[in-house]
Amino acid sequence: MKFATLRRSFAALLLGAAFAQPAFAHPSATSRPAAVVADNPAAHPAFTVRVVGKGRPVLLIPGLTCPGAVWDETVARYQSRYQCHVLSLAGFGGAAPMAGAPTADFLPAVRDQLLAYIKTQKLDRPAVIGHSLGGFMGLWLSTTQPEAVGPLVIVDSLPFLAAVQNPALTAEAARPMAAGMRQQMSAGKLPLAQQRQMVASMVTDTARQRLVAAWGQASAPASVGQAMYELYTTDLRADLGAVRQPALVLGSWAAYEPYGSTMASTRAIFAAQYAKLPQHRIEMSRAGRHFLMYDDTAWFFEQTDAFLQANYAARK
């Protein structure tokens, strides 16, 4: 894959952050909602949570700069069957940054506070649907405490983003590049026109482009810069063998076709990075860009529906 393609791929994965949908089966009369426990937002300052629906719990984690609203259509589809716990990360998409931000270890704080949230809310191995950074976070939860979460739906994300160009790259070797990116990103917001141009490579619909760009403009640059740094310097590839739950990996490639990418070449990158993940299936969208739930909605739901029905059936 040519460098221009890789550079766009980096931007797409980092900035990740309805339509006509077939009816979804209603939960059976014997399915039971997850236990509801009073939340304590002060216990997880790295994110807020909105809970919608009834049934087995599902965590929905957005990508960089996006609030939980990026999952609105997904929540609308699944809320009759699942109890959706929709995260918005501090500093993203208009959410207030953490006190004292930026601080080191922002993403580890998200991970640890989310694991604590799962425990205090008594969520029984919730499924995780994560886009971009959110998909990475789902993997990180699973490598840290494999018994804490259930099946994973990973939307256009990788276990080590910085190694797309050079699979032999280490997290330590990536630090200088990542530090430069953090400094540049933390300096201030991108001009709106530049943000929209970048988003256009990630979303096809112009209304969605404006929405995602607005979320980027509303995000705190320092928070975004720190999260980006940590994403580029955390390599989960060697830890994937610890994951015990099945995973569905949904990838995109169409936006990079003009730069020499093919579905096969992009799929090979995904396959190499996920090689040590025991139970996984990789599916590549033919039409979608980075926001697959927006660009290839029917395909996204077809894949996710079948995976959840096979691996996360309603409790009897």
Side-chain angles (χ1 to χ4, degrees):
M1 190 183 292
K2 298 179 181 178
F3 178 73
T5 308
L6 295 169
R7 184 174 58 195
R8 285 204 165 202
S9 182
F10 288 163
L13 285 165
L14 284 170
L15 292 176
F19 306 124
Q21 301 167 2
F24 193 78
H26 291 291
S28 68
T30 55
S31 65
R32 295 178 297 175
V36 177
V37 178
D39 188 22
N40 177 19
H44 48 80
F47 59 85
T48 58
V49 186
R50 181 171 65 97
V51 181
V52 183
K54 294 181 179 180
R56 298 189 72 180
V58 176
L59 307 178
L60 294 110
I61 312 175
L64 199 72
T65 80
C66 291
V70 75
W71 294 116
D72 280 356
E73 288 78 20
T74 304
V75 171
R77 184 178 185 85
Y78 290 135
Q79 64 183 349
S80 65
R81 184 177 179 86
Y82 300 113
Q83 185 186 75
C84 300
H85 295 249
V86 188
L87 271 66
S88 291
L89 273 58
F92 291 3
M98 288 179 63
T103 58
D105 299 328
F106 171 54
L107 294 186
V110 174
R111 176 200 63 195
D112 294 344
Q113 291 173 27
L114 187 48
L115 287 169
Y117 175 85
I118 292 169
K119 183 176 181 180
T120 59
Q121 292 295 306
K122 304 184 186 304
L123 304 183
D124 181 16
R125 294 177 56 83
V128 180
I129 303 176
H131 176 234
S132 196
L133 182 153
F136 175 89
M137 185 57 63
L139 280 174
W140 211 0
L141 296 173
S142 301
T143 59
T144 303
Q145 289 187 19
E147 73 286 355
V149 297
L152 308 175
V153 178
I154 300 166
V155 185
D156 215 25
S157 189
L158 295 170
F160 188 34
L161 181 61
V164 172
Q165 186 176 13
N166 175 15
L169 188 70
T170 65
E172 185 62 32
R175 291 187 187 281
M177 172 188 66
M181 294 172 62
R182 176 174 58 184
Q183 182 178 10
Q184 183 178 15
M185 181 64 70
S186 300
K189 300 180 188 295
L190 286 174
L192 180 58
Q194 185 177 349
Q195 188 121 36
R196 285 182 175 174
Q197 182 180 15
M198 184 179 299
V199 167
S201 68
M202 296 181 277
V203 189
T204 56
D205 180 74
T206 55
R208 299 289 194 185
Q209 290 172 8
R210 290 192 294 270
L211 178 62
V212 174
W215 286 334
Q217 289 287 298
S219 297
S223 298
V224 176
Q226 182 63 30
M228 186 166 58
Y229 173 83
E230 292 169 359
L231 188 59
Y232 259 81
T233 56
T234 306
D235 183 358
L236 300 180
R237 291 174 298 178
D239 300 328
L240 294 180
V243 177
R244 293 293 175 261
Q245 49 271 73
L248 172 65
V249 179
L250 302 178
S252 72
W253 71 277
Y256 321 128
E257 185 175 15
Y259 302 91
S261 174
T262 65
M263 181 183 287
S265 67
T266 309
R267 184 187 180 91
I269 293 172
F270 277 81
Q273 289 231 356
Y274 284 101
K276 294 184 178 180
L277 187 61
Q279 302 178 68
H280 76 279
R281 187 175 86 247
I282 298 171
E283 299 290 346
M284 305 297 295
S285 167
R286 292 189 175 277
R289 298 184 182 180
H290 182 50
F291 285 75
L292 293 174
M293 57 284 207
Y294 287 169
D295 280 352
D296 204 354
T297 310
W299 177 86
F300 168 75
F301 283 133
E302 178 184 8
Q303 295 291 332
T304 305
D305 286 356
F307 177 76
L308 291 177
Q309 288 169 356
N311 297 284
Y312 201 59
R315 186 181 288 112
K316 301 294 185 182

